[in-house]
């Protein structure tokens, strides 16, 4: 967004039959109790990794998130984006998010996670699953705002574990 605040990044696709809507519900539910202010302390960015999705579908998802969150006033600090395949792939590769299209099921196989990015765009934290403890999210935002990236636990996990959606 502006390079001054951390960003909560959700990589989702609007046509997802289950996981992505749960991720977005989890983000909205975790943001509700936070004492931090959107726009002042952080921003929210959701990017569709399906290059066939329309901006209209993304706008509907954005409106649903704001409604669940109860923060219509935060609309200027939330963005749901769509794009072409190559820039989407560049973004997902840069943050380590893997996905693949399953022709048989006619849907994407992907992980369930959000990321906290530092103001300069580095990944500070990954939050896996579809529910994110508000206090953990708050601490992740605060650390990212200070430019802190991960910790020894995350480094060890990354060395010992590699997610393979196939």
């Amino acid at each position: 967004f502006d390079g001054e605040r951390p960003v909560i990044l959700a990589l989702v696709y609007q046509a997802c039959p289950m996981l992505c809507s749960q991720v977005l519900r989890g983000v909205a539910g975790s943001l509700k109790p936070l004492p931090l202010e959107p726009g002042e302390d952080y921003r929210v960015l959701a990017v569709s990794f399906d290059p066939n999705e329309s901006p209209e579908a993304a706008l509907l998802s954005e409106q649903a998130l704001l409604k669940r969150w109860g923060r219509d006033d935060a609309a200027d600090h939330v963005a749901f984006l769509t794009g072409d395949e190559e820039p989407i792939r560049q973004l997902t590769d840069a943050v380590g998010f893997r996905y693949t299209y399953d022709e048989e099921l006619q849907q994407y196989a992907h992980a369930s996670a959000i990321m906290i990015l530092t103001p300069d765009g580095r990944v500070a934290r990954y939050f896996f699953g579809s529910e994110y403890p508000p206090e953990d999210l708050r601490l992740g935002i605060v650390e990212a705002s200070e430019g802190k990236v991960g910790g020894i636990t995350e480094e060890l996990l990354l060395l010992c574990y590699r997610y393979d959606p196939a």
Side-chain angles (χ1 to χ4, degrees):
F1 280 74
D2 62 11
E4 295 181 17
R5 290 159 193 80
V7 173
I8 298 169
L9 174 64
L11 295 165
V12 296
Y13 75 108
Q14 296 8 287
C16 183
M18 184 175 58
L19 253 184
C20 293
S21 60
Q22 290 178 352
V23 166
L24 295 174
R25 274 195 284 279
V27 169
S30 296
L31 291 174
K32 265 186 186 184
L34 287 187
L36 303 175
E37 282 299 312
E40 188 176 314
D41 298 310
Y42 64 92
R43 298 184 186 264
V44 178
L45 175 62
V47 177
S48 174
F49 52 87
D50 180 350
N52 297 310
E53 289 199 316
S54 70
E56 293 79 18
L59 179 60
L60 290 174
S61 289
E62 179 179 327
Q63 291 167 342
L65 176 112
L66 290 167
K67 184 176 181 178
R68 277 188 213 101
W69 184 11
R71 293 294 304 258
D72 290 334
D73 63 323
D76 289 342
H77 313 295
V78 173
F80 276 57
L81 305 177
T82 59
D84 294 327
E85 189 168 355
E86 184 56 30
I88 291 169
R89 187 62 70 179
Q90 289 173 357
L91 172 64
T92 58
D93 286 350
V95 298
F97 184 84
R98 303 293 179 254
Y99 61 97
T100 187
Y101 191 73
D102 184 323
E103 289 290 342
E104 185 178 325
L105 295 175
Q106 297 289 297
Q107 63 188 39
Y108 286 92
H110 60 90
S112 173
I114 62 171
M115 290 131 245
I116 307 293
L117 307 180
T118 62
D120 64 355
R122 293 176 295 139
V123 176
R125 290 269 183 247
Y126 289 90
F127 290 91
F128 294 100
S130 60
E131 293 184 19
Y132 317 102
E135 186 60 17
D136 292 351
L137 192 59
R138 182 187 73 78
L139 290 172
I141 292 168
V142 169
E143 287 178 347
S145 71
E146 297 169 354
K148 294 182 182 174
V149 178
I152 189 67
T153 303
E154 286 78 13
E155 290 175 28
L156 289 173
L157 283 173
L158 288 173
L159 288 174
C160 299
Y161 178 75
R162 174 174 235 147
Y163 177 75
D164 180 2

